Amino acid sequence: MLVQDRVSPHAAVAGGGGGQKTPTSPRGVPGADRRHPRPFAKNLDFATWASEHSSKLLLLLFAVASAAAVYLLRGAAPDAASLLCLDRSRSASSSGPARLPYPDVAWSAVPPMAIAAGTPFASFRAERWIVVSVSSPPTAALGALARVKGWQLLAVGNSHTPSGWELKGAIFLSLELQAQLGYRSVDFLPYASHVRKTAGYLFAIQHGAKVIFDADDRAEVPGNDLGKHFDVDLGSGVTNHPVLLQYSHADPNRTVVNPYVHFGQRSVWPRGLPLDKVGEVAHEVFYTEVFSGRQFIQQGLSDGLPDVDAVFYFTRKPPTAAFDLRFDAEAPKVALPQGTMAPVNSFNTLFHTPAFWGLMMPVSVSSMASDVIRGYWAQRILWEIGGYVAFYPPTIYRKDHIQAYPFAEEKDLHVNVGRLIKFLNEWRSNKRTLFERILDLSYAMAEEGFWTEQDVRLTAAWLQDLLSVGYRQPRLMSLEIDRQRATIGEGDMKEFVPKKLPSVHLGVDEIGTVNYEIGNLIKWRKNFGNVVLIMHVSGPVDRTALEWRLLYGRIFKTVIILAEQSNKELAVEHCALSHAYKFLPKVFARYGGADGFLFLQDHMILNYWNLLQADKEKLWITNKIAHSWVTVPLESNKEEWFVKQGSMVKQVIGSSPVHFQTNYKESMGEDKIAFCGSELFYIPRQFVEDFGDLVGLVGDLELHHKIAVPMFFLAMDSPQNFDSDALAGTVFRTNLAGNETFSSIYTAQAPAVFPLKVQNEIDFIKLIRVMSTGDPLLMELV
């Protein structure tokens, strides 16, 4: 048994009635046929007397026995309780084993569950979700998960989670919020356990999930792009998908494999592999192939600390050393045929919509066994819809914290997991729908002792919750393992010889990158000495690039010059102004230690001495300059350019994480967009990653710089948090009158002045002379 034997309450009731039967006739009771009592008559015959007073004797004996029982129970309560339990068990067994109650579910009558308008995140929708359980403060790994492009992180709390848990970019489901969601399953979930992720899965499904990445809080995704490691988009039709290698089904007696062998680690085995199989280290003689597209459950491998059990962990390394294992990243992904299983976990697994039912975490087994038993259970049901599990090369990196967990936490794995695999392969059901078969299997597993009645009732609640949140169960398909399998011909055999990688080795040091930098021509001022100026030049760079560096290089950390045409000799980099924002993350990456980044177009002059009081921890932009920042309605707009740009804004915001969507919609709504010349804006260090994430969300869309930048700012933070006063005094003229020049509109008291055209050295000298009223030292440049 994988769980402790428990006496059914129904069996206890059946055996606890003392064996007495209710009389079927009044004549069954002595003296019941007498309407009137007879006169008392003394009788010296003991047998006769005992017969007449049998009921009194029984009562007397029962009273004496009761008094003795009370005396014994006071002196030895535990033993007595054991005896009572044993007696009940015997009574129950004597009348035959009692069956568990089978849940009665009216599947067609399950009511839909609407999201209450006032609940948090009620309007938020996303198709790709990462679900983790959190018991400690946010980690750097979690912060990185929150920034994975195109995915929404959902953190599910439990009783160990610190109060006030918060992470930018993540949705946090506290215990209080979980209780308000109305899911039936929540009532079965223990408070101090990671299995509360079950509530998170339902939340994600209810809020539009099509793919769910089941992860833990130390998963680091290489490149922060899950799409590079998993098959996130299965599409439709097998013609759109390549074939996958598949383990051979030539041996019908093989029911479980160790996928780590395929990826180069023969001496390592996953948590949940039967211990009698860990010695099977030979690679496949040959593989077969299967069409891709139905790998509804995708299990990734983990570099660093892979998913191993306590037996491996405590016997394969010194107590103070950390694991840093590596799998073959070039090995092809491999699928499992029907009839063959492998352990599947809950911290590096991708579930597609047809397999969402398989996310439920059982609650009556030990904590480190819950996800593995779930994985075997889900694999078996997956066959019912023609799906399969596939294993992928390393998809995450996990750090080994060298924190031991008790072997007892895995007891439900090592006791009889082999019997579970055998049972699942032999199990069949004739139920008519998938959900009925899922419940049927859960019930059968409880009868076999792999989990308890509690998980049967949880399964019924979980399936009803799925229906309530709008999930549509997949259609059943016939089992391949019940059909005569085709003979594997020579042309069907595919060979792959895995590498033999060392089991434990030292990690590889990262190679640093060399920052591209022109250099600082003159010492910079203290206030802006760690701020990078990014300047886009529209005039001829061969006549102005050096001058701009001389002007602003005295103040800023460095000056990056961008232009429509590159010039290697002057270190001018090519960048189209219409999409200049897309270039900025490249500069951000070069200067990881900078306090912030200031973008400036050359026709706006910056009076940096008036910005000493500006808050370098906040965003700056010209949102308080009337002609620089304009709100454009979309519904009645007949200009095709604005309509197209507005459509792209909706597309980007609609695919953005919750914090971007919320910030933008609260500030702008959905029926208008912001148009800003974006000649001047500042991005502090704390918003650099957000800006880069938004650039990634835009992707290849032709969203214009004047639309993208204000959209980014509104998505990153609320305008009330901007330091709008920093640039509020800017002199901004859209057109100069015939008798006006830059010199006539320029003032040294403004933070910036627009417009100006610098085409050559003479124009530059004129500029320096007027600016010297604010910074007299500038005259040293001319």
Side-chain angles (χ1 to χ4, degrees), residues 641-642 645 649 673-675 703-711:
W641 188 86
F642 279 113
Q645 293 291 311
V649 168
I673 59 174
F675 176 91
L703 192 64
H704 199 277
H705 182 78
K706 295 181 179 182
I707 300 295
V709 172
M711 181 196 75

Side-chain angles (χ1 to χ4, degrees), residues 718-736:
S718 171
Q720 65 184 8
N721 296 327
F722 296 175
D723 190 357
S724 301
D725 293 335
L727 303 176
T730 297
V731 175
F732 193 94
R733 302 286 293 275
T734 55
N735 294 296
L736 295 180

Side-chain angles (χ1 to χ4, degrees), residues 218 302-308 313 323 325 398-401:
R218 43 180 170 166
S302 169
D303 277 342
L305 176 63
D307 185 22
V308 295
Y313 191 85
F323 269 126
L325 293 167
R398 291 176 78 229
K399 290 183 179 178
D400 181 7
H401 297 321

Side-chain angles (χ1 to χ4, degrees), residues 711-767:
M711 181 196 75
F712 286 7
F713 271 65
L714 294 173
M716 289 190 291
D717 206 356
S718 171
Q720 65 184 8
N721 296 327
F722 296 175
D723 190 357
S724 301
D725 293 335
L727 303 176
T730 297
V731 175
F732 193 94
R733 302 286 293 275
T734 55
N735 294 296
L736 295 180
N739 60 344
E740 288 182 316
T741 64
F742 177 80
S743 299
S744 64
I745 67 170
Y746 178 83
T747 172
Q749 284 69 48
V753 181
F754 175 92
L756 169 72
K757 285 187 178 182
V758 177
Q759 300 292 323
N760 49 46
E761 293 85 352
I762 296 176
D763 290 339
F764 185 78
I765 291 173
K766 292 180 180 179
L767 171 64

Side-chain angles (χ1 to χ4, degrees), residues 662-682:
T662 302
N663 288 339
Y664 182 86
K665 291 179 180 179
E666 287 179 354
S667 301
M668 187 56 58
E670 298 183 13
D671 58 347
K672 55 185 178 295
I673 59 174
F675 176 91
C676 179
S678 305
E679 301 90 354
L680 172 62
F681 56 88
Y682 172 78

Side-chain angles (χ1 to χ4, degrees), residues 500-513:
K500 296 180 180 179
L501 300 178
S503 291
V504 181
H505 59 86
L506 295 177
V508 180
D509 291 335
E510 294 184 0
I511 300 175
T513 57

Side-chain angles (χ1 to χ4, degrees), residues 542-755:
D542 56 336
R543 295 188 178 186
T544 58
L546 180 59
E547 285 75 8
W548 289 122
R549 287 199 176 97
L550 286 172
L551 171 61
Y552 292 122
R554 303 161 61 252
I555 308 301
F556 295 94
K557 180 180 180 70
T558 191
V559 179
I560 304 297
I561 302 293
L562 310 177
E564 300 291 335
Q565 297 293 328
S566 64
N567 188 316
K568 291 185 179 180
E569 294 181 358
L570 297 174
V572 176
E573 302 178 69
H574 167 68
C575 175
L577 179 59
S578 60
H579 298 92
Y581 65 95
K582 293 187 177 182
F583 190 88
L584 301 190
K586 298 179 182 178
V587 181
F588 298 166
R590 297 177 196 168
Y591 300 94
D595 292 337
F597 299 84
L598 190 69
F599 181 86
L600 179 69
Q601 295 181 33
D602 65 342
H603 49 237
M604 178 172 279
I605 300 306
L606 184 69
N607 292 337
Y608 42 82
W609 54 86
N610 290 321
L611 293 172
L612 296 180
Q613 302 303 318
D615 191 341
K616 291 188 294 181
E617 299 296 319
K618 293 185 177 181
L619 295 165
W620 316 342
I621 197 168
T622 54
N623 62 310
K624 285 195 173 181
I625 309 301
H627 296 291
S628 178
W629 180 291
V630 180
T631 300
V632 180
L634 294 176
E635 290 186 0
S636 59
N637 202 309
K638 296 182 180 180
E639 293 189 35
E640 184 179 0
W641 188 86
F642 279 113
V643 173
K644 289 183 178 180
Q645 293 291 311
S647 177
M648 286 185 279
V649 168
K650 289 183 178 180
Q651 182 178 343
V652 174
I653 293 299
S655 63
S656 297
V658 59
H659 60 291
F660 290 151
Q661 282 199 40
T662 302
N663 288 339
Y664 182 86
K665 291 179 180 179
E666 287 179 354
S667 301
M668 187 56 58
E670 298 183 13
D671 58 347
K672 55 185 178 295
I673 59 174
F675 176 91
C676 179
S678 305
E679 301 90 354
L680 172 62
F681 56 88
Y682 172 78
I683 304 168
R685 163 57 53 189
Q686 64 174 323
F687 289 100
V688 162
E689 290 181 348
D690 284 353
F691 194 99
D693 290 345
L694 286 162
V695 171
L697 289 169
V698 172
D700 296 328
L701 294 176
E702 294 295 319
L703 192 64
H704 199 277
H705 182 78
K706 295 181 179 182
I707 300 295
V709 172
M711 181 196 75
F712 286 7
F713 271 65
L714 294 173
M716 289 190 291
D717 206 356
S718 171
Q720 65 184 8
N721 296 327
F722 296 175
D723 190 357
S724 301
D725 293 335
L727 303 176
T730 297
V731 175
F732 193 94
R733 302 286 293 275
T734 55
N735 294 296
L736 295 180
N739 60 344
E740 288 182 316
T741 64
F742 177 80
S743 299
S744 64
I745 67 170
Y746 178 83
T747 172
Q749 284 69 48
V753 181
F754 175 92

